[in-house]
């Protein structure tokens, strides 16, 4: 048997282990908690920057990935633990994962800008409902990229969520922020949809990267992957900030900020940390389960973001939003019921096959 044969078998067995490994529930719950912090808190802090005089789009974009240095702490701890274990083999991720994470990072940087620019024209509650349509995009791209199986329930959930976003676009005057025109509102509407579509492409690509890894993945590699993604997304924002002369403008903007100069810094730093939790949690959920479940979990957190925005910023909860939210929740319920039915049939089939083998 040749060396290439050994390598091919190793790659295939690694792919199988990455795809079919049992769910690590404590790790999944931890990453779900990270996602909850980011998905709910991130949009609120980004909007807070705009509400009190912040207007630099690339500065706000920077906060969505610029918190990546906080990942060095846990990675350093894991590295020390790795060094103290003589049986440990590899710590750093493979070179192809490094390259893949860099490419993903550039696209995440662009997605962050689309989302941030859209949020400057929309209330948090409307933006959150629109961004939840990433589930529909994830479902489509996951089917193409990672051969995600579709059920009638999955298709139903995608259709319902799409209808919800269309419903929001039919009326553009009920919840427009002060100073935003009808055209501006529609511009923000389509920017946020484009952002949802781009991130809907990115998550299945991340899942494909994990599946194509030669070595068996662990959460240490996921942390490194996120660090690299966030670093390259930040580089995109950093270059744009230099070109846009945002660093000079930030000094003046901080002095004129409605909540004061100190709170200006606090809002940006807190946003950077909270958004980092969101993306770290997302990559962790994909590692534990898959990209489609990541989209589902993001969408499930939608009502909490809605409620938080209504209470924090006294945003209007219009009838259109209520109907869009109901359609989205109906879609989530349809998806989960479909998964329950699929798992139930799979268990029954396994039991039946075991009984036949026994007899």
């Amino acid at each position: 048997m040749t060396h290439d044969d050994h390598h091919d078998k190793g790659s295939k067995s690694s792919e199988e282990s990455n795809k079919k490994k049992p769910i690590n529930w404590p790790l999944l719950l931890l990453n779900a908690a990270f996602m909850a912090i980011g998905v709910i808190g991130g949009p609120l802090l980004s909007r807070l920057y705009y509400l009190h005089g912040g207007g630099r789009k690339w500065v706000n974009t920077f906060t969505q990935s610029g918190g990546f240095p906080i990942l060095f702490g846990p990675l350093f701890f894991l590295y020390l633990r790795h060094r103290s274990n003589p049986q440990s083999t590899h710590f750093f991720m493979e070179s192809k994962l490094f390259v893949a994470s860099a490419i993903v990072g550039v696209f995440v940087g662009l997605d962050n800008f689309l989302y941030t620019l859209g949020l400057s024209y929309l209330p948090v509650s409307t933006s959150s409902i629109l961004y939840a349509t990433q589930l529909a995009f994830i479902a489509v791209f996951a089917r193409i990229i990672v051969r995600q199986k579709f059920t009638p329930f999955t298709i139903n959930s995608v259709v319902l969520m799409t209808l919800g976003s269309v419903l929001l676009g039919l009326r553009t005057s009920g919840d427009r922020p002060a100073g935003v025109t009808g055209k501006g509102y529609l511009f923000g509407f389509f920017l946020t949809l484009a952002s949802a579509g781009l991130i809907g492409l990115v998550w299945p690509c991340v899942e494909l990267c994990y599946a194509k890894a030669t070595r068996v993945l662990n959460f240490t590699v996921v942390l490194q992957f996120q660090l690299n993604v966030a670093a390259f997304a930040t580089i995109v924002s950093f270059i744009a900030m230099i070109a846009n002369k945002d660093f000079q403008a930030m000094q003046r903007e901080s002095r004129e900020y409605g909540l004061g100069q100190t709170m200006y810094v606090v809002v940006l730093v807190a946003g950077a940390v909270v958004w980092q939790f969101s993306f770290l949690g997302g990559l962790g959920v994909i590692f534990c389960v898959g990209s489609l479940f990541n989209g589902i979990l993001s969408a499930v957190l939608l009502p909490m973001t809605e409620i938080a925005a209504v209470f924090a910023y006294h945003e209007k909860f219009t009838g259109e939003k209520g109907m869009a939210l109901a359609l989205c929740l109906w879609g989530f319920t349809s998806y989960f019921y479909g998964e329950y039915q699929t798992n139930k049939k799979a268990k029954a089939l396994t039991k039946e096959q075991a009984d036949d083998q026994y007899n």
Side-chain angles (χ1 to χ4, degrees), residues 265-320:
V265 176
V266 170
V267 168
L268 292 179
V269 172
V273 173
V274 168
W275 275 117
Q276 198 60 217
F277 277 121
S278 173
F279 286 103
L280 175 60
L283 289 175
V285 167
I286 292 173
F287 169 69
C288 292
V289 184
S291 57
L292 187 59
F293 185 77
N294 173 54
I296 292 292
L297 187 56
S298 296
V300 165
L301 293 168
L302 165 68
M304 300 180 193
T305 310
E306 283 273 314
I307 293 168
V310 170
F311 278 99
Y313 302 138
H314 307 290
E315 293 182 357
K316 295 178 182 178
F317 194 83
T318 62
E320 287 83 1

Side-chain angles (χ1 to χ4, degrees), residues 89-122:
T89 52
H90 302 286
F91 178 80
F92 296 104
M93 65 180 170
E94 305 164 52
S95 56
K96 63 182 178 182
L97 280 182
F98 178 88
V99 173
S101 60
I103 295 170
V104 168
V106 172
F107 280 103
V108 167
L110 295 174
D111 179 79
N112 288 345
F113 179 67
L114 290 174
Y115 175 82
T116 301
L117 189 56
L119 187 61
S120 66
Y121 294 101
L122 299 174

Side-chain angles (χ1 to χ4, degrees), residues 90-171:
H90 302 286
F91 178 80
F92 296 104
M93 65 180 170
E94 305 164 52
S95 56
K96 63 182 178 182
L97 280 182
F98 178 88
V99 173
S101 60
I103 295 170
V104 168
V106 172
F107 280 103
V108 167
L110 295 174
D111 179 79
N112 288 345
F113 179 67
L114 290 174
Y115 175 82
T116 301
L117 189 56
L119 187 61
S120 66
Y121 294 101
L122 299 174
V124 173
S125 50
T126 302
S127 175
S128 297
I129 291 175
L130 287 172
Y131 199 65
T133 59
Q134 66 174 278
L135 174 58
F137 293 107
I138 288 174
V140 172
F141 288 123
R143 178 74 181 96
I144 298 169
I145 297 171
V146 293
R147 299 290 185 262
Q148 175 74 44
K149 291 183 178 178
F150 269 15
T151 66
F153 296 100
T154 306
I155 296 170
N156 185 48
S157 66
V158 169
V159 170
L160 288 170
M161 289 192 60
T162 305
L163 285 174
S165 63
V166 170
L167 185 63
L168 276 179
L170 293 177
R171 186 175 174 185

